[in-house]
Amino acid sequence: MKKIVFGVLALSVATVSCVKDDCVLNEEKEGLVTPRLESRLADNESPLSGILEAYPCNAGTSIFCGNYVNDKLSTFYGFYHIQDGSIYGDNNREISLPVGQYNMVYWGTPQYEEPIHTTPAIREPGLSIGSDLSNLYFELRQNSSDTTYIPVFDLVYGRQNVNIGEEDLQANMRRAVAGLKVIVKTANNGVISSNVESIKVHIGGIAEKLNLYTAEPENKEKTVAFDLVRSVDNTEMSNAMIMLFPSTNNPLLQLFITLKDGTVHRLARNLSSTLDANTRLTLNVVIGNIFSGGGTGNFTIENWNEATETIEFPVVD
């Protein structure tokens, strides 16, 4: 990997409130163990490079038990920079805990070689010692200008029952989000008309949130919006790969094509594919004479296993 640029996925830390009699914030502890860590992406068993977070929970539960920083109990979960599956650099906040059994929850953001959406966002839960992670969520963040939502980070997830003092941390991660790339071209692969001011994509049926403990998506009723960018040679408009929480079956895709005179054309179809976790779709949209007020359009969807489908648009007046 020629260049490593690490993104940061940081949880807001709320005021600590203990739910156990023996839970004392800033309590000092001796005999702490800092285990080694290795991390892989389970889908293709390749080493992870990126950011990894580790949330220690009491054994057999989803109750966050905190982490010792400078030998004092704190709400600061483990935070690691990972390169090729191993800890990288000095700016890491390692897990440090007394010997014993723990239930470790992992979240991460992988590093990409190919371009991806540059301004993802999520709403992050507050965290305190004694928090039940099964009641906390990563949530979509709404756009300030309307009721649509912003694309999210590429998120991977894992969980491990671990005996601190005897076992290393082994984070075998699976992807919790889907990817989508849209490419708009003309029917003859010619230059896109200069009369086109912008194209905005809306993808509906997207989950509102992911459970922090299980990574399960909930409330698949939201719409995520993003813009397409014109290529240098003007032959296509597309986006860098965006990440989405998983969708309902056959989510609704809409294109809003704004012309320089302010008129807007809307194209809408339900996809035959579903944006499941670890699914990446490349959507090729071929437009005929839509910009001049007549003709038909169609688009082809291609996913990772190279299955394709074609959907025809009606004439757009």
Side-chain angles (χ1 to χ4, degrees):
M1 187 174 294
K2 296 181 179 178
K3 186 177 181 182
I4 301 293
V5 181
F6 291 111
V8 176
L9 175 62
L11 284 178
S12 303
V13 179
T15 303
V16 173
S17 58
C18 297
V19 297
K20 295 174 61 180
D21 293 338
D22 59 352
C23 173
V24 180
L25 183 64
N26 293 324
E27 174 191 34
E28 294 192 17
K29 194 82 170 181
E30 297 181 354
L32 299 172
V33 175
T34 299
R36 293 178 63 253
L37 181 144
E38 294 183 357
S39 182
R40 306 180 70 84
L41 288 174
D43 299 313
N44 54 14
E45 297 185 353
S46 61
L48 173 70
S49 291
I51 295 295
L52 180 71
E53 299 173 348
Y55 301 85
C57 294
N58 295 329
T61 78
S62 55
I63 304 302
F64 178 68
C65 62
N67 182 38
Y68 285 83
V69 177
N70 297 325
D71 296 330
K72 294 183 178 181
L73 184 62
S74 77
T75 58
F76 295 111
Y77 47 84
F79 185 92
Y80 299 88
H81 295 79
I82 304 295
Q83 184 172 355
D84 296 329
S86 299
I87 298 173
Y88 170 82
D90 300 322
N91 297 318
N92 299 293
R93 186 172 62 238
E94 296 182 303
I95 290 293
S96 185
L97 293 167
V99 170
Q101 294 281 347
Y102 295 88
N103 185 16
M104 201 70 65
V105 178
Y106 302 105
W107 283 92
T109 54
Q111 169 63 27
Y112 266 76
E113 288 279 358
E114 64 184 88
I116 60 174
H117 187 67
T118 56
T119 56
I122 57 173
R123 291 179 57 193
E124 304 153 354
L127 188 67
S128 62
I129 295 175
S131 291
D132 187 342
L133 299 192
S134 68
N135 293 328
L136 299 178
Y137 297 88
F138 292 123
E139 299 183 44
L140 294 177
R141 184 177 292 276
Q142 188 171 330
N143 281 300
S144 59
S145 58
D146 54 34
T147 60
T148 63
Y149 291 82
I150 302 170
V152 300
F153 294 93
D154 186 11
L155 297 175
V156 294
Y157 162 85
R159 204 162 71 204
Q160 176 195 17
N161 293 316
V162 59
N163 190 340
I164 298 294
E166 296 185 8
E167 299 175 308
D168 294 336
L169 300 181
Q170 297 283 342
N172 294 313
M173 315 293 285
R174 62 179 176 85
R175 187 162 271 104
V177 297
L180 177 64
K181 182 180 179 69
V182 177
I183 303 171
V184 173
K185 295 184 177 182
T186 62
N188 59 0
N189 289 320
V191 172
I192 293 178
S193 172
S194 60
N195 193 37
V196 177
E197 182 70 22
S198 66
I199 300 180
K200 183 178 286 289
V201 179
H202 286 192
I203 181 72
I206 301 300
E208 177 186 15
K209 54 190 178 181
L210 295 183
N211 188 277
L212 185 58
Y213 184 66
T214 65
E216 288 299 312
E218 297 186 20
N219 190 25
K220 297 178 179 179
E221 297 180 349
K222 302 303 180 181
T223 297
V224 171
F226 55 95
D227 294 312
L228 302 185
V229 177
R230 191 183 295 265
S231 64
V232 175
D233 62 5
N234 286 328
T235 60
E236 65 180 45
M237 294 183 71
S238 64
N239 64 287
M241 182 69 64
I242 67 158
M243 304 301 167
L244 303 162
F245 291 163
S247 76
T248 188
N249 293 334
N250 314 120
L252 176 66
L253 181 119
Q254 302 177 85
L255 297 181
F256 294 90
I257 304 170
T258 302
L259 305 184
K260 288 189 180 297
D261 64 4
T263 60
V264 178
H265 292 286
R266 173 182 172 270
L267 302 177
R269 276 293 181 271
N270 288 90
L271 304 184
S272 295
S273 298
T274 299
L275 295 168
D276 294 318
N278 198 45
T279 295
R280 183 173 67 175
L281 293 179
T282 298
L283 180 65
N284 296 302
V285 181
V286 181
I287 299 177
N289 299 321
I290 183 172
F291 299 138
S292 59
T296 62
N298 64 80
F299 55 81
T300 300
I301 300 171
E302 184 176 77
N303 60 20
W304 271 345
N305 63 10
E306 298 183 357
T308 61
E309 61 184 76
T310 300
I311 302 174
E312 292 188 357
F313 285 121
V315 173
V316 179
D317 297 324

